Amino acid sequence: VQTITVEPAPAPVIVDAPSDTSIACVDALTFVASASPLAFTNNESGNCEITGFVNPVITEDYDECGGTVTITWDTIVNCDHPLNYVQTITIEPAAPPAYVNPPADTTLTCEEIAGFVAMPPVLNFNNGETGECEISGSVMPVIVEDYDECGGSITVTWDTTVLCGHVLTHVQTITVEPAPEPQYASLPADTVLSCADVSSFVLNAPALDYSNSSTGNCLIEGAVMPVVSENYDECGGSITVTWDTTV
């Protein structure tokens, strides 16, 4: 018995398969996924030729956050040769949004804050796109006040997470300056007494008033009692009168 084995024809391959590509979100608005049947061949002739066409199957999975269009050519041809090719068209996500005209940090004096009412605006945001690629909206502010006559701040925060997981945060800090420092009024000047005068001298040191000349919540005023220290004899010395406090 002689057995003559006939080898199978070479396996076919797909011809001119399209490469993967990417398109922007804005271009995807007018994009229509279409694909032609792909030819395949094994470059043989006669009875050994295996040729034909494979129809595509299109799968779309994208939105303003991006995604893909996959085009698949898949079949089994003569001699059970499988043919499979997938083209992936990547849809890029829409541009990230940003706040429109967010307010800058600022500073107020203690006097200015007395009549100030924090009324920050609702902040709008957008990504400058249109149609399905547009990401826009508005965010309400959250106000935190932490100040007194010694200064402090008001923070206004706009914070949210929008489509496609984009985080939008803007913080405006309004610095409140402290009230002016107070000063003593009518400070008594240093003086000199003779030894004869000091024998009949009775010290009557007054309480000293202080003020920062502001008004309302910014006013810092009061009085400080003196502390007297005598250190003298017939050989001389001094009397010191001290007004000292922290306000």
Side-chain angles (χ1 to χ4, degrees):
V1 177
Q2 179 189 29
T3 301
I4 301 173
T5 301
V6 180
E7 295 178 343
V13 294
I14 291 176
V15 180
D16 296 330
S19 58
D20 292 344
T21 187
S22 297
I23 60 175
C25 180
V26 64
D27 294 329
L29 296 178
T30 56
F31 175 73
V32 177
S34 63
S36 301
L38 286 184
F40 62 86
T41 181
N42 65 350
N43 295 315
E44 297 288 332
S45 60
N47 291 334
C48 295
E49 181 182 11
I50 302 176
T51 60
F53 292 89
V54 184
N55 288 317
V57 175
I58 301 172
T59 302
E60 297 183 349
D61 182 20
Y62 67 92
D63 55 20
E64 64 271 18
C65 301
T68 58
V69 177
T70 56
I71 305 175
T72 304
W73 294 264
D74 185 67
T75 190
I76 296 176
V77 298
N78 291 354
C79 306
D80 293 329
H81 292 299
L83 289 174
N84 180 272
Y85 182 77
V86 178
Q87 179 193 29
T88 300
I89 301 172
T90 300
I91 310 298
E92 297 174 348
Y99 284 119
V100 179
N101 298 326
D105 293 343
T106 189
T107 299
L108 296 174
T109 65
C110 185
E111 289 80 4
E112 289 171 335
I113 201 68
F116 178 77
V117 178
M119 297 182 63
V122 173
L123 275 190
N124 296 320
F125 62 87
N126 69 68
N127 65 346
E129 302 284 350
T130 58
E132 294 180 359
C133 296
E134 180 182 2
I135 302 176
S136 62
S138 58
V139 181
M140 296 293 294
V142 175
I143 304 169
V144 177
E145 298 184 348
D146 182 20
Y147 67 91
D148 55 22
E149 67 272 16
C150 300
S153 65
I154 301 171
T155 57
V156 186
T157 302
W158 295 264
D159 183 65
T160 190
T161 299
V162 298
L163 290 176
C164 310
H166 294 298
V167 177
L168 290 174
T169 301
H170 179 73
V171 179
Q172 179 193 31
T173 300
I174 302 171
T175 300
V176 180
E177 296 179 338
E181 294 184 4
Q183 303 290 331
Y184 284 120
S186 302
L187 293 174
D190 292 343
T191 189
V192 176
L193 296 175
S194 68
C195 184
D197 292 335
V198 83
S199 61
S200 60
F201 176 71
V202 177
L203 178 64
N204 185 19
L208 281 188
D209 294 328
Y210 63 85
S211 174
N212 66 349
S213 300
S214 291
T215 59
N217 291 334
C218 299
L219 176 63
I220 301 175
E221 65 178 1
V224 181
M225 297 299 294
V227 175
V228 180
S229 176
E230 298 182 351
N231 183 23
Y232 67 91
D233 57 18
E234 67 275 15
C235 298
S238 64
I239 301 171
T240 58
V241 185
T242 303
W243 295 265
D244 183 64
T245 190
T246 300
V247 297

